[in-house]
Amino acid sequence: MSKESRQPSPKRRKIDPPSTEKTYDGLPERVDYLWLSKKHPALHPHLKTTSRGTTLNFQDAAAVRTLNRALLLEYYDLDVYLPATSLCPTVANRLNYLLWIKDNIIGETAGNEELLGLDVGTGASCIYPLLGVRVLGARFVATDINRESVEVAQQNVAKNTLTDRITV
């Protein structure tokens, strides 16, 4: 390959430090894990330092579970128990789905009507109904065939005093 045909390597983009400013949906654009761990000490043991800064060990299920609990508590005032035996929902993905529904399905057609959501297979976290109440102001009916998941979901709803908005 001749020198003329080689493309110069692109310069590495400078990564701005994480922001704790909330976006329109409540979550920060980037999570400042160190800041979050100071407010939620259970997160601190799961942090790791890399050449790019402090991050989380996403290979560790307990770390992801602890992160999601901290995010739900910090940004949505939701105290949620996420059992190790159940799937651990990622807050950002679940939130994005709810916001997609809001933008693309609900839009402005709802008017003054109260929104009612149905979550089939809600799991122990009951994440869609809990976030749906906080973000969309909706009411939810949540179902699951697993008795243990239903019990934990009911506890999560009750712990957050949302039994008037969510029926499991």
Side-chain angles (χ1 to χ4, degrees):
M1 182 183 277
S2 71
K3 288 183 180 180
E4 291 86 33
S5 64
R6 277 192 259 160
Q7 296 290 330
S9 61
K11 291 183 180 178
R12 290 190 178 207
R13 242 180 63 210
K14 182 181 174 199
I15 307 280
D16 294 326
S19 168
T20 56
E21 290 183 32
K22 292 182 181 178
T23 61
Y24 79 98
D25 56 16
L27 279 177
E29 199 169 300
R30 290 190 197 121
V31 176
D32 182 337
Y33 299 108
L34 196 55
W35 173 84
L36 191 62
S37 74
K38 288 177 183 170
K39 296 189 83 178
H40 303 274
L43 188 61
H44 192 75
H46 300 290
L47 299 181
K48 65 180 185 177
T49 303
T50 69
S51 60
R52 297 180 83 174
T54 303
T55 189
L56 188 80
N57 179 3
F58 285 97
Q59 303 302 313
D60 179 6
V64 174
R65 195 170 312 287
T66 305
L67 170 65
N68 285 319
R69 288 202 65 210
L71 291 172
L72 287 167
L73 191 57
E74 184 63 32
Y75 295 104
Y76 300 101
D77 194 28
L78 290 169
D79 185 3
V80 179
Y81 172 60
L82 302 169
T85 56
S86 298
L87 293 175
C88 182
T90 54
V91 175
N93 290 351
R94 298 322 190 262
L95 179 63
N96 283 339
Y97 184 64
L98 286 171
L99 294 172
W100 182 88
I101 289 171
K102 176 185 173 191
D103 293 344
N104 294 288
I105 296 175
I106 298 168
E108 299 195 21
T109 60
N112 292 328
E113 296 175 29
E114 185 173 49
L115 298 173
L116 177 62
L118 173 62
D119 185 10
V120 178
T122 197
S125 67
C126 201
I127 190 74
Y128 282 118
L130 290 169
L131 278 175
V133 168
R134 288 288 198 259
V135 175
L136 304 178
R139 293 174 46 102
F140 271 84
V141 173
T143 66
D144 203 293
I145 61 170
N146 182 293
R147 181 176 291 155
E148 290 174 31
S149 290
V150 168
E151 289 171 5
V152 174
Q154 288 172 331
Q155 291 167 9
N156 280 331
V157 170
K159 187 188 317 187
N160 289 285
T161 61
L162 293 172
T163 54
D164 61 327
R165 308 287 305 160
I166 302 169
T167 302
V168 181

